[in-house]
């Protein structure tokens, strides 16, 4: 289990978690199930920053929102933004499947990738600002950061094969049972619902 925790935090954050002693499909499956826990830790730090910003400047909701979004992006190593950019560039190329996979593997970023990152960050800031104005600032970023990591157990369900036969995707793809993904989702739903009452 320690290897799974290390893999989850090592993949999804820049927090020092140590290297797993070995990685196989069992470790990968557990790491994907633990993804919302990583989100909760990152979201907790961001929620603290948002709450502090509101305490110091209660009239600066936009500033608090920008700081919160930047903390999440920084602590996650920009991994989700990098993946989004790769996907947008590949999809925007309108090429065949193999070419799109090759584009996603490249380290550079194209115009579709840049636009997608800017758009997502603007939407995140606007949404968090609206939540702050509604009185749900720190709760909103904690819930969003935790719940968004549910995509990992769902996309690693046993019914979804890996796009490639090699790489990390092959280690985690098709490893999580649908009922496990559902149970993880229900646990996150219960926890996040409780947060809205704090």
């Amino acid at each position: 289990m320690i290897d799974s925790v290390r893999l989850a935090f090592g993949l999804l954050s820049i927090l020092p978690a140590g290297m797993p002693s070995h990685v196989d499909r069992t470790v990968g499956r557990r790491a994907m199930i633990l993804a919302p826990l990583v989100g909760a830790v990152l979201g907790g730090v961001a929620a603290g920053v948002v709450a502090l910003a509101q305490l110091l400047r209660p009239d600066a909701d936009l500033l608090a929102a920008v700081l919160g979004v930047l903390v999440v992006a920084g602590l996650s190593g920009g991994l989700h933004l990098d993946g989004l950019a790769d996907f947008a560039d590949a999809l925007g190329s309108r090429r065949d499947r193999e070419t799109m996979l090759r584009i996603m593997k490249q380290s550079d970023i194209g115009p579709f990738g840049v636009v997608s990152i800017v758009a997502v960050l603007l939407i995140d800031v606007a949404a968090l600002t609206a939540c702050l104005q509604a009185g749900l600032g720190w709760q909103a970023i904690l819930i969003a950061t935790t719940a968004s990591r549910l995509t990992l157990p769902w996309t690693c369900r046993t019914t979804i094969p890996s796009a490639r036969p090699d790489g990390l995707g092959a280690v985690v793809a098709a490893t999580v049972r649908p009922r496990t993904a559902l149970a993880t989702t229900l646990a996150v739903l219960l926890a996040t619902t409780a947060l809205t009452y704090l």
Side-chain angles (χ1 to χ4, degrees), residues 14-28:
I14 61 167
L15 300 177
M19 294 292 292
S21 59
H22 78 284
V23 176
D24 57 18
R25 288 178 62 78
T26 300
V27 171

Side-chain angles (χ1 to χ4, degrees), residues 111-197:
F112 282 104
V114 172
V115 169
S116 67
I117 288 175
V118 171
V120 164
L121 290 176
L122 287 174
I123 291 168
D124 285 349
V125 168
L128 185 53
T129 301
C131 290
L132 285 161
Q133 292 169 348
L136 291 171
W138 69 267
Q139 298 98 325
I141 196 164
L142 178 54
I143 290 170
T145 308
T146 304
S148 64
R149 271 58 181 180
L150 284 169
T151 57
L152 290 163
W154 281 105
T155 55
C156 292
R157 292 192 320 276
T158 51
T159 54
I160 302 176
S162 174
R164 288 193 184 91
D166 58 348
L168 179 62
V171 174
V172 298
T175 58
V176 180
R177 294 186 188 96
R179 65 174 175 265
T180 304
L182 180 60
T184 305
T185 301
L186 291 175
V188 170
L189 181 60
L190 288 171
T192 54
T193 300
L195 270 178
T196 61
Y197 294 101

Side-chain angles (χ1 to χ4, degrees), residues 82-124:
D82 181 53
L84 172 67
D86 290 341
F87 177 74
D89 282 334
L91 199 62
S93 73
R94 298 181 306 239
R95 303 288 177 85
D96 60 274
R97 180 180 184 274
E98 291 306 314
T99 304
M100 285 196 283
L101 286 172
R102 184 170 43 78
I103 290 170
M104 284 194 285
K105 202 170 182 180
Q106 293 172 351
S107 60
D108 59 344
I109 183 171
F112 282 104
V114 172
V115 169
S116 67
I117 288 175
V118 171
V120 164
L121 290 176
L122 287 174
I123 291 168
D124 285 349

Side-chain angles (χ1 to χ4, degrees), residues 17 43 46 55 59 61-62 104 114 121 183:
L55 182 66
D59 58 335
D61 290 335
L62 180 59
M104 284 194 285
V114 172
L121 290 176

